[in-house]
Amino acid sequence: MLETPRKLSYLAVMKIVQVASELFPYVKTGGLADAAGSLSATLAGHGHNVSVFLPGYRAVLDHHDASGIERLLRIKIEMGDVFMSGEVRVFSPRPNQKIYLICRDELFDRKGVYGNGERDYEDNYHRYIFFCKGVIESLRQLNLQADIVHAHDWQAAMLPLLLRYTERRTATPLALKTIFTIHNIAFQGLFPMRSFHRTNLPDELRGVDGVEYYGQMNFLKAGILFADRVTTVSPRYAQEIQTPEFGCGLDGVIATRAEDLAGLLNGIDTTVWNPATDTHLPATYTAADLAGKATCRTGLLKKLKLDPASPDIPVYGMVCRLTEQKGVQLLLANRDFFLNNDVRLAILGAGDKRLEQAVRDLAAAAPRKIGLAMRLDEAMSHLIEAGSDYFLMPSLFEPCGLNQMYSLAYGTPPLVTQVGGLHDTVRDADAPDTAATGTGITFAPDAHALRDGLRRSLALFADKPRHAAVQARGMATDNSWDKAAQSYEHLYAEML
Ligand code: ADP
Ligand code: GLC
């Protein structure tokens, strides 16, 4: 971990630029939106001057929370051998924070964010190079003089390199330091090498010392190599991605930056995820008075048309993208557990068509016990967190994971695999060394270990005082962004 810098230096006001392809509440496909949204809002709350750059998707331009959007600049971006025009719009959702939208309808006025539901858009390289260059052009025209430019995930990964190259070519300083955060190394932004010419970077950057990865162009690799610092979203994942098992082919590249790599845990937005104030719930509750949680439980079962369940019958919840990452296969391999025991299971998720069908089949096998909502549904995700007795997160890998932290806050002990951020945020209630401090149930990422975890959850549920203690410890855990953002402030200050 990084050392704490000189006292007070992190309190100095910094000009921070955050660049991401998603931002809660305006556009979200996963945790990246939550993380980028909360980090930038919290930094603004701490008094920093925060500018966020986001593609001007139609969904954002039309979003009811994005009020007062104004046209700010015209931009002309060199994309290979043509120039493409665009526009920058801006609004300010809170003091100290401005959100800039890089707009060009041809690229961002589409139904999906990254694809049409079946496939990714074929011109994604084009869309996100335009986006990164649009950010750089805005920094130049606005003369923002950023202290820190912080880029997130592959969509913004070309930014540090393009920015430094532009500074050199135009002899105009744009930012003191750049930082790149990997939210998921499995998504790299791999494109045919012919897309390279859109970057207008010199040919020497085409090769293996540049963006090339087995004959293709790899955006994420550029972020890892050319940012001043690289971070990822949990200490454990920072170690894991240096190994072939979790590095998705980039472990060697990561290893070259090991000294500049840090794992900083995400937090949760406690204004959105707090059972005491949650407006999505039929009743609110606190650790001191859990009566409302029982109301949510009844409401959840009813909403999914499941049989009522006495307090002795555990309700399991799961909310995730239905992809291999999330361990859906491990759940399916344990279908007997859900069919043969008197339990309930509530699943909210969409994604991979094959897994969607398999989960549909599972629910169809016991429609009164297993409820399924196959869509994006913010309100339902809150109801599952609140109305379940246990939350399932058997991920094969998990850079950080947010739902296990929401679960802790909602008194819903999570059942998680011992990987990435799950390892760093949940303590096992049965293991001898953590029994007294346990907040959930943890196990290895395989189907047998999940089965064992599920069995242990039944035993824990039958032992009401112990279950209540696990629940209470989870609810008392501070996973707020207030705390999480401080690690970034320390890091920024140290870099400066
Ligand atoms: P990832 O980013 O890998 O998908 P995270 O745990 O970091 O995983 O974040 C996922 C976020 O997306 C959480 O806020 C979760 O509640 C939300 N989410 C996932 N699937 C759905 C869904 N079907 N409906 C509503 N929210 C969802
Ligand atoms: C990614 C990861 C997830 C993480 C999120 C926010 O989508 O899969 O584990 O919580 O980014 O950092």
Side-chain angles (χ1 to χ4, degrees):
M1 282 295 284
L2 295 151
E3 281 178 30
T4 311
R6 274 173 296 118
K7 225 177 155 211
L8 282 190
S9 59
Y10 73 93
L11 293 177
V13 170
M14 292 177 264
K15 266 196 225 164
I16 300 166
V17 172
Q18 299 284 341
V19 185
S21 59
E22 300 181 24
L23 195 78
F24 186 84
Y26 313 104
V27 53
K28 163 167 166 175
T29 73
L32 168 64
D34 296 273
S38 302
L39 172 62
S40 51
T42 311
L43 290 171
H46 288 188
H48 299 290
N49 179 329
V50 181
S51 306
V52 185
F53 283 87
L54 185 68
Y57 305 111
R58 172 57 46 201
V60 179
L61 296 174
D62 293 344
H63 200 282
H64 53 85
D65 284 325
S67 58
I69 297 180
E70 285 172 16
R71 300 191 136 93
L72 184 70
L73 302 173
R74 304 280 324 161
I75 49 176
K76 219 163 149 203
I77 304 294
E78 189 179 14
M79 295 286 292
D81 35 26
V82 293
F83 278 86
M84 296 179 66
S85 59
E87 191 182 45
V88 183
R89 301 185 194 186
V90 68
F91 67 104
S92 176
R94 56 176 55 75
N96 305 329
Q97 188 189 30
K98 282 195 173 144
I99 298 181
Y100 296 92
L101 305 171
I102 305 294
C103 303
R104 181 175 165 93
D105 284 351
E106 173 213 350
L107 301 179
F108 300 120
D109 186 356
R110 300 189 186 175
K111 271 229 161 65
V113 180
Y114 306 124
N116 58 12
E118 297 290 313
R119 269 180 296 128
D120 280 355
Y121 297 128
E122 274 173 18
D123 60 348
N124 273 345
Y125 66 92
H126 189 68
R127 299 170 78 216
Y128 292 105
I129 290 173
F130 181 86
F131 171 56
C132 290
K133 288 186 172 184
V135 174
I136 293 167
E137 179 57 12
S138 308
L139 294 180
R140 196 186 68 76
Q141 284 197 39
L142 295 167
N143 194 20
L144 259 171
Q145 299 292 326
D147 293 319
I148 295 284
V149 169
H150 188 164
H152 299 264
D153 266 356
W154 73 262
Q155 297 87 347
M158 292 300 295
L159 185 69
L161 171 61
L162 288 168
L163 183 129
R164 291 302 183 217
Y165 179 69
T166 310
E167 284 181 326
R168 237 184 312 142
R169 206 177 53 166
T170 60
T172 315
L174 296 171
L176 289 179
K177 296 288 174 189
T178 64
I179 161 167
F180 176 60
T181 295
I182 302 168
H183 292 262
N184 194 337
I185 205 165
F187 298 102
Q188 301 184 355
L190 273 173
F191 300 105
M193 204 62 213
R194 64 171 184 279
S195 19
F196 182 82
H197 89 283
R198 298 279 187 192
T199 66
N200 301 86
L201 288 165
D203 268 353
E204 72 229 36
L205 289 165
R206 264 178 183 273
V208 281
D209 295 331
V211 301
E212 196 246 1
Y213 179 82
Y214 291 100
Q216 288 189 291
M217 177 170 176
N218 186 319
F219 278 36
L220 201 80
K221 183 183 172 197
I224 296 167
L225 285 183
F226 297 105
D228 294 317
R229 288 290 180 95
V230 180
T231 70
T232 185
V233 286
S234 68
R236 180 67 160 213
Y237 195 60
Q239 292 172 358
E240 287 172 348
I241 55 177
Q242 298 182 51
T243 67
E245 192 188 350
F246 291 97
C248 296
L250 286 180
D251 38 294
V253 179
I254 293 278
T256 66
R257 299 300 313 269
E259 291 200 346
D260 297 315
L261 174 70
L264 309 184
L265 269 181
N266 289 326
I268 64 174
D269 183 340
T270 46
T271 61
V272 179
W273 292 98
N274 178 353
T277 53
D278 194 326
T279 50
H280 292 297
L281 303 180
T284 55
Y285 59 93
T286 61
D289 180 2
L290 289 167
K293 185 164 172 70
T295 311
C296 295
R297 188 179 188 268
T298 309
L300 171 65
L301 296 174
K302 218 168 158 187
K303 194 146 210 168
L304 290 176
K305 301 194 172 64
L306 301 182
D307 283 343
S310 73
D312 299 331
I313 298 175
V315 178
Y316 295 82
M318 186 159 173
V319 179
C320 63
R321 294 181 285 114
L322 294 180
T323 62
E324 301 239 328
Q325 171 187 348
K326 301 298 176 182
V328 183
Q329 324 78 290
L330 307 194
L331 176 84
L332 295 168
N334 279 291
R335 60 183 271 138
D336 290 355
F337 174 88
F338 296 98
L339 298 181
N340 298 341
N341 288 294
D342 198 4
V343 299
R344 304 286 178 270
L345 172 60
I347 304 177
L348 169 65
D352 184 298
K353 297 293 161 223
R354 197 176 42 87
L355 291 174
E356 280 186 357
Q357 190 51 48
V359 171
R360 242 183 242 121
D361 293 344
L362 172 67
R368 310 289 305 173
K369 288 168 67 183
I370 304 175
L372 176 61
M374 201 157 269
R375 56 176 185 265
L376 269 178
D377 187 337
E378 193 71 22
M380 178 63 97
S381 73
H382 286 245
L383 185 60
I384 291 185
E385 285 290 2
S388 305
D389 298 305
Y390 285 118
F391 193 86
L392 287 172
M393 224 166 151
S395 307
L396 299 183
F397 66 93
E398 196 61 74
C400 178
L402 297 171
N403 283 103
Q404 84 280 13
M405 294 194 271
Y406 301 153
S407 305
L408 293 172
Y410 278 64
T412 310
L415 268 65
V416 304
T417 45
Q418 291 146 342
V419 296
L422 301 176
H423 166 274
D424 292 336
T425 53
V426 183
R427 286 185 303 275
D428 189 78
D430 291 323
D433 55 333
T434 50
T437 56
T439 52
I441 291 179
T442 76
F443 42 88
D446 66 66
H448 284 292
L450 170 59
R451 154 111 354 172
D452 180 56
L454 287 166
R455 271 206 220 106
R456 289 195 281 130
S457 73
L458 290 182
L460 177 61
F461 203 62
D463 184 346
K464 290 293 175 212
R466 201 161 73 89
H467 182 266
V470 172
Q471 211 178 16
R473 282 193 291 265
M475 293 184 89
T477 310
D478 179 6
N479 281 318
S480 68
W481 258 109
D482 231 7
K483 198 170 119 191
Q486 281 179 24
S487 353
Y488 283 99
E489 291 176 278
H490 282 295
L491 174 60
Y492 297 159
E494 194 219 51
M495 290 170 73
L496 294 169

